[in-house]
Amino acid sequence: MLLGAAVLLCLVDVLHAFAIEEKGDVFKRMACPAFLMFDNAAYLADMTFELPCNCKPEEVSSVTWYFQKQLGSHKPTVLTDFAGNVIVDSGHIRAGSDMLKRFSIRMFSLIVFRAQVTDSGHYLCGTKEGDFFYGYDVDVQPTKSITVAFEDKGQHVQDDRTERHISLFTTFWDWTRCDRCGVRGEQRRIGLCYVQTAQLHPRYRAAVPNVTSCGSKAVPARFQSLSHLRSPEVAIRSCMTPCRTDEVPEEGVQAISNVISKMGKKPWLPRVPTQFHKQPIGTDLIIACPGARPEHAVAWDKDSVRLYLSRYLIHVNKTMRVFIDHGNHLHIRRVRSRDRGTYFCWREGEMVAGFRLSVFHQARRRRSLQDPETIYAMRIIGVSYIVISILFVVIHVCQCCWRALRGPA
């Protein structure tokens, strides 16, 4: 039963997640429910998701999106993107609207970029007067406690867990594409936590009856502590896929490049856009792959060295200084001289960008009395001196009073 539910949920998630595209006029085909219901949707932190307003009365030409953490706890918050879009009017919809915002509203849909756990809650589509047509119960699951299984090392995903009146299991999405081509790559498969119980709140809808995500508000309060015992997970395995014909260098190019390199010329490098960046030694650096999202297959190389997830994924080693997070960002803590080089980014099996990193020592400068840091330090020292002086005087006064009260021995 749990296996069938997991397979069906996997298919639903694959069809629903991350497809941000133009929508047709679906409002004439879908009638709004007489009683407001909430559709369950689960995502992993740092992912981007889209919530379409699937229905509205024909006489309504504009919609407003609202957010409410707990149902009925307080008045819903009106959502707006940084472009100031609160209301979407059907008479002013245009293609290609700006989507590079934390929240974006497009074609009656609300798009949330790089969602965080705090974004979990109820999202409602309605009018500016406060009439609601459609609702979502969004569960953004954290990556801090995520369970990682490297299949090449014989590791396995979590087993299903069954308690009284409730079962917990993982629903996996499809494997990503191989993140590199022509060389050994890796595939990733994301799994989210789901529960199965007959005691879900009837106001929440799910793709499979009696099944919802672990962080859904449909889960009764007495079961929510159990759902926290299971974390989302990710499985990783090796893969090999050939490059397209136009991506493979011609035979002999690498040998010729070696000769050119020995002659003092610039050696052959992959023909991808390259960004140049200087970073002070001792500071932290985060590199993002252009156009990549957390659900994409992304890989990183430093020059000719492959930075495989099996070694560089976050939390694989507690003392890691260079690592890749679950959002596909490359982190370099406390940059050192040996970190200089060219970092290449692969996306969906294709090398798409280069990042030429050079490092330098920050020149030391003399601080003046007008520097904010100097003023702050002097203020702290002055306050500490005053506090210590007051304590010194109070202690001596108390000692004198005590001796006076005791009288002569």
Side-chain angles (χ1 to χ4, degrees):
M1 179 63 182
L2 291 179
L3 180 60
V7 172
L8 183 54
L9 280 170
C10 179
L11 293 175
V12 171
D13 280 340
V14 169
L15 293 175
H16 178 70
F18 317 117
I20 300 176
E21 56 186 15
E22 300 295 337
K23 300 292 189 299
D25 188 7
V26 299
F27 304 115
K28 295 182 180 179
R29 302 194 301 268
M30 179 180 293
C32 293
F35 188 71
L36 183 64
M37 306 285 287
F38 295 93
D39 287 348
N40 176 246
Y43 305 94
L44 198 61
D46 288 331
M47 289 189 170
T48 296
F49 64 84
E50 176 186 9
L51 303 177
C53 187
N54 285 330
C55 76
K56 70 176 182 64
E58 292 186 23
E59 63 273 11
V60 175
S61 61
S62 62
V63 300
T64 303
W65 280 94
Y66 298 83
F67 173 74
Q68 192 174 37
K69 192 69 175 178
Q70 299 289 340
L71 192 62
S73 59
H74 55 81
K75 187 177 180 180
T77 303
V78 178
L79 288 179
T80 175
D81 61 16
F82 288 107
N85 297 320
V86 179
I87 301 173
V88 179
D89 196 310
S90 57
H92 297 85
I93 292 178
R94 60 183 178 87
S97 58
D98 185 12
M99 297 172 61
L100 302 178
K101 308 292 181 184
R102 182 68 171 80
F103 296 99
S104 183
I105 302 173
R106 183 186 183 193
M107 290 295 290
F108 299 104
S109 297
L110 175 70
I111 305 169
V112 181
F113 295 90
R114 298 203 63 185
Q116 302 302 310
V117 176
T118 53
D119 295 330
S120 299
H122 302 87
Y123 291 81
L124 304 100
C125 171
T127 64
K128 61 181 179 179
E129 289 80 16
D131 298 323
F132 304 130
F133 317 131
Y134 207 82
Y136 288 92
D137 168 35
V138 174
D139 173 22
V140 181
Q141 301 188 8
T143 58
K144 290 185 178 180
S145 58
I146 194 169
T147 301
V148 181
F150 295 101
E151 294 195 354
D152 296 347
K153 299 180 180 179
Q155 299 175 357
H156 302 283
V157 297
Q158 302 176 83
D159 294 328
D160 296 341
R161 179 169 183 165
T162 302
E163 303 285 344
R164 186 178 181 183
H165 303 305
I166 187 172
S167 298
L168 294 89
F169 61 97
T170 300
T171 296
F172 281 95
W173 296 352
D174 286 340
W175 287 98
T176 63
R177 296 179 58 180
C178 197
D179 56 15
R180 294 177 177 88
C181 70
V183 296
R184 183 177 77 86
E186 292 174 319
Q187 289 177 290
R188 189 177 59 160
R189 193 182 190 193
I190 295 174
L192 300 177
C193 175
Y194 276 79
V195 300
Q196 182 179 32
T197 177
Q199 301 182 27
L200 297 179
H201 196 291
R203 197 171 180 181
Y204 296 82
R205 295 187 299 193
V208 179
N210 299 330
V211 174
T212 190
S213 61
C214 291
S216 170
K217 306 304 179 184
V219 179
R222 62 182 181 277
F223 292 149
Q224 290 180 0
S225 59
L226 290 175
S227 63
H228 292 158
L229 298 178
R230 190 179 187 90
S231 60
E233 44 191 325
V234 58
I236 298 172
R237 68 183 183 186
S238 297
C239 59
M240 179 72 76
T241 184
C243 295
R244 292 204 303 255
T245 305
D246 57 348
E247 296 177 355
V248 179
E250 296 181 4
E251 185 177 358
V253 169
Q254 188 63 49
I256 295 174
S257 70
N258 293 336
V259 175
I260 296 176
S261 178
K262 291 179 181 179
M263 295 173 62
K265 303 293 183 180
K266 184 178 179 179
W268 178 86
L269 291 174
R271 289 177 292 180
V272 294
T274 302
Q275 177 183 351
F276 295 84
H277 179 74
K278 291 184 178 181
Q279 185 73 14
I281 290 179
T283 59
D284 296 342
L285 177 65
I286 302 176
I287 310 175
C289 187
R293 297 206 302 264
E295 66 271 18
H296 287 163
V298 176
W300 291 94
D301 297 342
K302 181 190 177 184
D303 297 322
S304 59
V305 179
R306 316 291 180 193
L307 306 182
Y308 288 112
L309 295 175
S310 56
R311 181 178 177 184
Y312 288 94
L313 185 64
I314 185 173
H315 296 148
V316 170
N317 189 329
K318 293 182 179 180
T319 60
M320 297 176 69
R321 191 180 61 85
V322 179
F323 60 89
I324 302 170
D325 65 20
H326 294 287
N328 296 323
H329 302 99
L330 178 64
H331 294 247
I332 305 177
R333 291 180 175 174
R334 302 179 302 279
V335 171
R336 300 176 182 175
S337 298
R338 65 171 180 264
D339 294 325
R340 61 166 57 95
T342 303
Y343 295 82
F344 296 104
C345 168
W346 297 74
R347 186 186 69 224
E348 297 291 282
E350 297 182 11
M351 187 177 290
V352 295
F355 191 89
R356 183 75 60 83
L357 176 64
S358 59
V359 300
F360 65 94
H361 289 277
Q362 284 182 313
R364 294 185 177 181
R365 63 182 182 87
R366 286 190 171 185
R367 297 193 179 277
S368 64
L369 295 177
Q370 287 75 30
D371 286 341
E373 295 87 353
T374 305
I375 296 174
Y376 177 78
M378 293 177 63
R379 186 177 299 169
I380 294 297
I381 294 173
V383 171
S384 302
Y385 179 79
I386 293 173
V387 171
I388 294 174
S389 300
I390 293 174
L391 289 175
F392 179 80
V393 172
V394 169
I395 291 173
H396 278 270
V397 169
C398 291
Q399 286 181 343
C400 292
C401 294
W402 174 252
R403 290 173 181 173
L405 291 174
R406 288 181 61 185

